[in-house]
Amino acid sequence: MQSNKTSGGKTVVFFDLEATGLETWRCEIIQLAAISGERTFNVYTMPEIAIDRGAAEVTGFSVRDGALLLQGRAVPTVTLTEALTSFLDFLQSLEQPVLLAAHGARRFDQPVLARAILKCSLTRQFQQLGSRFLDTFLLSKALYPSIRSYSQVNLVRHFLGKIYNAHNALEDVRALQELYSCWDPSEGTLNRCVL
């Protein structure tokens, strides 16, 4: 079992979002996944806005006849409020405090998640968890300043020697947890990358 604790005692939860696009002020969550050790969370939501062509090409998500499709196959969906409530329940079930880690958290995942939590009136419940965010993109740059590319796909290839199904949130979080475990960063380095 992979360690999901920092030396400071925080439970690290790796999470990822797939969304309708890259504009953090308007995109909507389509998939939300998380992993901490052996515990996983994965849910799909039906967006209220169209999926951008670029996002559809990268993620394989589309909407047809009222169904959310992944690579042409229907996936079960819940409302955004149900998805976020379930995610908060998942986080609450873990040993506290929780550190939410995402690759590009500052630029994308944290603002999109925060906006969705606000939209669903779950801000108080989220704040009660006292969770902080760790940006593993920033962490990778702090740990390895001379790497050519800090994309998660490149880092997984470089450090783990493998290719995986990127842009599927569940596969992304599994790969990120393995990558983090390989790095084994110090608490001081982690704290410089916490948002």
Side-chain angles (χ1 to χ4, degrees):
M1 182 169 163
Q2 294 177 326
S3 171
N4 62 341
K5 287 285 202 181
T6 68
S7 60
K10 296 178 189 85
T11 301
V12 183
V13 178
F14 301 91
F15 82 102
D16 189 41
L17 311 173
E18 299 303 335
T20 56
L22 292 175
E23 297 166 325
T24 59
W25 58 273
R26 73 175 290 272
C27 70
E28 293 184 7
I29 297 170
I30 301 172
Q31 183 185 16
L32 170 59
I35 189 169
S36 184
E38 299 297 319
R39 302 213 29 221
T40 60
F41 175 87
N42 186 44
V43 68
Y44 302 95
T45 66
M46 179 64 73
E48 295 176 358
I49 64 172
I51 301 171
D52 294 350
R53 185 185 335 207
E57 289 172 5
V58 168
T59 64
F61 281 107
S62 60
V63 174
R64 186 172 55 227
D65 299 327
L68 180 65
L69 308 176
L70 176 57
Q71 306 299 339
R73 299 179 69 190
V75 293
T77 60
V78 296
T79 67
L80 181 61
T81 300
E82 291 169 328
L84 293 173
T85 300
S86 295
F87 181 57
L88 294 176
D89 289 344
F90 172 77
L91 296 177
Q92 187 65 45
S93 74
L94 301 169
E95 190 174 332
Q96 302 297 312
V98 169
L99 182 61
L100 291 168
H103 202 71
R106 180 177 66 182
R107 179 188 54 79
F108 186 76
D109 301 270
Q110 189 270 340
V112 173
L113 181 62
R115 191 170 51 77
I117 286 170
L118 181 64
K119 176 182 178 180
C120 295
S121 302
L122 294 168
T123 303
R124 185 179 53 77
Q125 293 90 324
F126 182 73
Q127 288 174 339
Q128 286 175 341
L129 288 173
S131 300
R132 302 283 307 273
F133 290 90
L134 168 66
D135 191 329
T136 58
F137 175 81
L138 299 176
L139 180 62
S140 64
K141 290 182 83 171
L143 291 170
Y144 306 101
S146 61
I147 291 180
R148 281 178 96 103
S149 168
Y150 295 96
S151 75
Q152 185 170 316
V153 169
N154 184 64
L155 293 169
V156 167
R157 185 182 316 114
H158 180 85
F159 288 98
L160 304 177
K162 64 183 185 180
I163 298 172
Y164 72 101
N165 185 17
H167 302 295
N168 173 309
L170 189 56
E171 295 304 314
D172 281 337
V173 296
R174 285 180 174 140
L176 187 57
Q177 178 174 256
E178 190 176 350
L179 192 59
Y180 177 89
S181 181
C182 172
W183 292 343
D184 192 26
S186 71
E187 193 73 18
T189 304
L190 275 181
N191 288 337
R192 290 195 309 269
C193 302
V194 170
L195 310 176

